[in-house]
């Protein structure tokens, strides 16, 4: 019950999943804010400036909480995973250092200029600041994913005196895993920000509050939601094909595939998985679909876990190299289901917008879009669970197992204490963030502040200031 490895994994999972609620939302929101402010500079309509400020307020709340939750991520490598840190620190530390010293510094600097520069900088310079924040958040994701990609497919290193030492930095940043993982993650982040804005806007439209403002916000975010949802699915397809080559065991587990798939390979929609017997007692399959997913053609065989287990034993020695199959299998399907619903909802919204019916009473659609705020968070979380759990038992694939990565001097009781403490702190942070979000959303974009003594909408129907 107090196994340090299991508790360490659980703690890392809790803190990472919670932190990853905020990261994609920041990346997605800042892109949309930059687009809105660009429209303000180009069109000169004050309503777009108000949009950038209103959604920017939510972004700042999210960014602040995200920074706090992210601090523990790097601390945990030293606290609970010191043997892992000793082994890969020379490789793993480099991209994380670049992220902190360059990307995060860039984000923080230009966020400050953007916050305090509305009345001090020219429109174009101020616009440049928010675009540099958007670039900074994306570059930050690149370096973090470069580190993660090394864990999935280690490249650009040599083992010297029992430690992995970097010998090719270019190989690290040109890692094929990075270039399928990075666009998939970033496009998912764009969708996260877009669905938050469409959901909040839908809520306000249902309440018939500030309808001109939130209809414009809804339309802008809907376009981003449609493009990013489709893009996420397309690059996700490329990522699945890459897994067949580099991590076939993860691919087999995500399909619940024990024996060979056959040629052509069917895709399993549902399976009742029995890990003890290493078989599925019941399956629902779509013919040809797995071959297409794996090879972009309706033919081709995929190796199963039993065959791969025998191969891994010959390569790496005795051991169990099959990951938790049920978790990998269902997290993949939850991710796909969430992404599919996002595509359908954004497609339907685009259809309504093209037919100029979006402004008509669409209560059912707006209610669906309100609840759809949760979809990208579900998809992002399920995707990362599949990515990390599917790599087990490896911390660094083919080099270091999770059981060998734990800090030797940390006890299960100590990890349990910190797990409970961090979870409680994160719960408080989550409550505070939700409270601040709800408060800001209820106040709306035209709330009274120190510079405005009127609650009236100061913009005409076309978005120009009435003065």
């Amino acid at each position: 019950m107090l196994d340090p490895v299991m508790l360490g994994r659980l703690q890392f999972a809790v803190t990472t999943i919670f932190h990853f609620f905020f990261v994609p939302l920041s990346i997605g929101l800042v892109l949309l804010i930059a687009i809105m402010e660009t429209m303000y500079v180009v069109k000169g309509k004050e309503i777009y400036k108000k949009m950038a400020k209103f959604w920017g307020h939510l972004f700042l709340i999210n960014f602040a909480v995200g920074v706090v939750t992210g601090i523990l991520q790097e601390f945990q490598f030293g606290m609970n995973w010191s043997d892992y840190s000793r082994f890969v620190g020379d490789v793993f530390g480099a991209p994380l250092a670049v992220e902190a010293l360059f990307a995060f510094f860039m984000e923080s600097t230009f966020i400050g200029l953007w916050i305090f520069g509305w009345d001090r900088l020219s429109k174009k310079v101020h616009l440049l600041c928010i675009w540099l924040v958007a670039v900074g958040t994306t570059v930050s994701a690149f370096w973090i994913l470069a580190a993660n990609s090394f864990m999935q497919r280690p490249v650009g290193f040599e083992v010297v005196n029992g430690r992995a030492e970097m010998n090719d930095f270019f190989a690290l940043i040109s890692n094929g895993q990075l270039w399928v993982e990075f666009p998939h993650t970033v496009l998912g982040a764009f969708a996260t920000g877009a669905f938050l804005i469409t959901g909040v806007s839908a809520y306000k439209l249902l309440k018939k509050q500030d309808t001109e403002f939130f209809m414009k916000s809804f339309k802008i975010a809907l376009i981003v939601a449609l493009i990013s949802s489709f893009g996420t699915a397309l690059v996700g397809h490329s990522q699945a094909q890459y897994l067949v080559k580099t991590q076939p065991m993860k691919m087999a587990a995500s399909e619940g595939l024990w024996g060979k798939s056959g040629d052509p390979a069917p895709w399993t929609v549902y399976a009742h998985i029995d890990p003890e017997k290493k078989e599925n007692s019941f399956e629902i399959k779509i013919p040809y679909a797995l071959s297409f997913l794996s090879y972009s053609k309706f033919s081709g065989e995929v190796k199963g876990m039993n065959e791969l287990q025998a191969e891994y034993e010959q390569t790496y020695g005795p051991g169990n190299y099959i990951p938790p199959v049920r978790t990998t299998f269902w997290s993949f399907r939850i991710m796909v289901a969430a992404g599919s619903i996002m595509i359908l909802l954004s497609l339907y919204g685009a259809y309504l917008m093209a037919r100029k019916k979006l402004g008509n009473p669409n209560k059912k659609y707006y209610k669906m879009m309100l609840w759809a705020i949760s979809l990208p968070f579900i998809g992002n979380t399920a995707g990362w669970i599949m990515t990390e759990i599917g790599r087990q038992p490896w911390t660094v694939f083919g080099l270091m197992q999770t059981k060998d990565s734990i800090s030797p001097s940390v006890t299960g009781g100590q990890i349990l204490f910190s797990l409970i403490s961090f979870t409680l702190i994160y719960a408080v942070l989550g409550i505070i963030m939700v409270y601040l979000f709800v408060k800001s959303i209820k106040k709306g974009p035209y709330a009274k502040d120190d510079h405005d003594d009127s609650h009236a909408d100061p913009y005409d129907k076309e978005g120009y200031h009435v003065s």
Side-chain angles (χ1 to χ4, degrees):
M1 290 180 64
L2 295 179
D3 176 21
V5 175
M6 185 55 66
L7 287 171
R9 291 176 63 192
L10 180 60
Q11 183 180 83
F12 201 87
V14 169
T15 54
T16 302
I17 288 171
F18 190 82
H19 176 60
F20 202 66
F21 288 154
F22 304 98
V23 172
L25 185 55
S26 289
I27 295 172
L29 277 178
V30 74
L31 172 71
L32 280 149
I33 294 162
I35 292 171
M36 291 169 181
E37 188 169 347
T38 300
M39 296 178 74
Y40 162 63
V41 172
V42 172
K43 295 189 174 184
K45 295 182 179 182
E46 290 287 325
I47 193 170
Y48 292 114
K49 177 181 179 180
K50 199 69 177 176
M51 288 164 65
K53 284 190 171 183
F54 175 75
W55 299 112
H57 188 211
L58 299 185
F59 163 71
L60 293 173
I61 295 170
N62 183 79
F63 184 83
V65 178
V67 169
V68 175
T69 60
I71 291 172
L72 282 177
Q73 300 308 299
E74 294 189 27
F75 280 158
Q76 282 190 82
F77 293 126
M79 294 189 322
N80 295 344
W81 305 101
S82 61
D83 278 357
Y84 165 80
S85 298
R86 291 189 191 98
F87 181 70
V88 299
D90 184 69
V91 181
F92 197 78
L96 294 183
V98 174
E99 188 273 334
L101 295 174
F102 172 68
F104 184 72
F105 181 79
M106 179 180 174
E107 293 172 55
S108 304
T109 300
F110 287 102
I111 281 177
L113 290 171
W114 186 78
I115 295 170
F116 299 108
W118 281 104
D119 301 319
R120 296 173 176 84
L121 301 174
S122 68
K123 287 183 179 180
K124 292 182 179 179
V125 172
H126 192 267
L127 174 62
L128 178 63
C129 289
I130 194 63
W131 274 111
L132 287 173
V133 175
V135 170
T137 58
T138 304
V139 171
S140 181
F142 175 85
W143 290 111
I144 292 171
L145 292 173
N148 181 267
S149 295
F150 176 81
M151 298 168 70
Q152 310 289 340
R153 180 176 178 260
V155 293
F157 75 100
E158 60 180 347
V159 177
V160 180
N161 297 323
R163 295 178 65 250
E165 295 185 2
M166 185 190 305
N167 60 8
D168 189 345
F169 182 73
F170 180 76
L172 193 68
I173 61 174
S174 61
N175 190 344
Q177 175 67 30
L178 173 62
W179 289 102
V180 294
E181 194 173 300
F182 173 67
H184 188 62
T185 304
V186 170
L187 286 168
F190 293 161
T192 305
F195 271 88
L196 178 81
I197 291 180
T198 55
V200 172
S201 298
Y203 170 79
K204 286 292 190 177
L205 291 170
L206 285 168
K207 295 288 185 179
K208 297 181 179 180
Q209 297 173 355
D210 304 312
T211 54
E212 289 292 324
F213 179 97
F214 285 106
M215 181 55 71
K216 288 181 181 293
S217 295
F218 190 97
K219 289 179 178 179
I220 294 170
L222 182 63
I223 294 170
V224 175
L226 178 62
I227 295 171
S228 57
S229 297
F230 264 110
T232 304
L234 289 173
V235 297
H237 176 64
S238 299
Q239 190 171 2
Q241 292 180 327
Y242 193 78
L243 283 181
V244 176
K245 301 175 183 177
T246 59
Q247 295 185 67
M249 182 66 84
K250 181 188 293 186
M251 186 65 178
S254 70
E255 297 304 324
L257 186 62
W258 296 100
K260 286 187 177 181
S261 64
D263 187 359
W267 184 66
T268 305
V269 179
Y270 173 86
H272 187 273
I273 298 168
D274 189 340
E276 299 298 325
K277 295 182 179 180
K278 296 185 178 182
E279 63 180 21
N280 302 331
S281 58
F282 178 77
E283 298 174 327
I284 299 175
K285 296 185 175 184
I286 300 176
Y288 301 94
L290 182 56
S291 289
F292 183 79
L293 180 66
S294 303
Y295 307 110
S296 293
K297 59 182 182 179
F298 294 106
S299 63
E301 190 176 61
V302 179
K303 291 182 178 181
M305 287 178 280
N306 291 331
E307 180 182 357
L308 291 167
Q309 169 67 22
E311 291 181 6
Y312 283 18
E313 285 183 352
Q314 289 183 350
T315 304
Y316 305 115
N320 180 16
Y321 298 100
I322 297 176
V325 182
R326 289 194 186 114
T327 305
T328 308
F329 180 88
W330 286 111
S331 59
F332 178 68
R333 274 143 190 79
I334 291 170
M335 177 188 68
V336 171
S340 300
I341 297 171
M342 287 161 60
I343 290 173
L344 292 174
L345 287 174
S346 54
L347 264 177
Y348 182 62
Y351 166 79
L352 292 176
M353 188 164 64
R355 297 290 299 272
K356 297 183 179 180
K357 293 183 178 181
L358 199 58
N360 296 339
N362 284 292
K363 290 186 177 180
K364 288 185 179 179
Y365 179 64
Y366 288 147
K367 286 180 180 178
M368 285 191 291
M369 291 305 291
L370 174 58
W371 288 106
I373 291 175
S374 65
L375 289 175
F377 292 98
I378 293 171
N380 292 336
T381 302
W384 272 112
I385 289 173
M386 181 262 182
T387 298
E388 299 305 306
I389 294 294
R391 192 182 65 245
Q392 294 304 310
W394 302 103
T395 309
V396 183
F397 184 78
L399 291 179
M400 188 178 206
Q401 293 193 26
T402 306
K403 65 181 182 180
D404 301 319
S405 306
I406 198 73
S407 299
S409 59
V410 177
T411 65
Q414 290 171 328
I415 299 177
L416 180 62
F417 175 79
S418 60
L419 169 62
I420 295 171
S421 302
F422 293 156
T423 303
L424 290 174
I425 292 170
Y426 278 8
V428 172
L429 284 173
I431 292 169
I432 291 172
M433 181 187 161
V434 170
Y435 169 77
L436 292 174
F437 260 48
V438 171
K439 183 179 178 180
S440 296
I441 292 167
K442 284 185 175 181
K443 287 173 66 176
Y446 305 124
K448 182 178 179 180
D449 56 36
D450 295 336
H451 306 289
D452 182 13
D453 294 327
S454 172
H455 290 279
D457 187 342
Y459 307 111
D460 63 19
K461 190 173 181 179
E462 297 299 319
Y464 294 100
H465 201 281
V466 294
S467 61

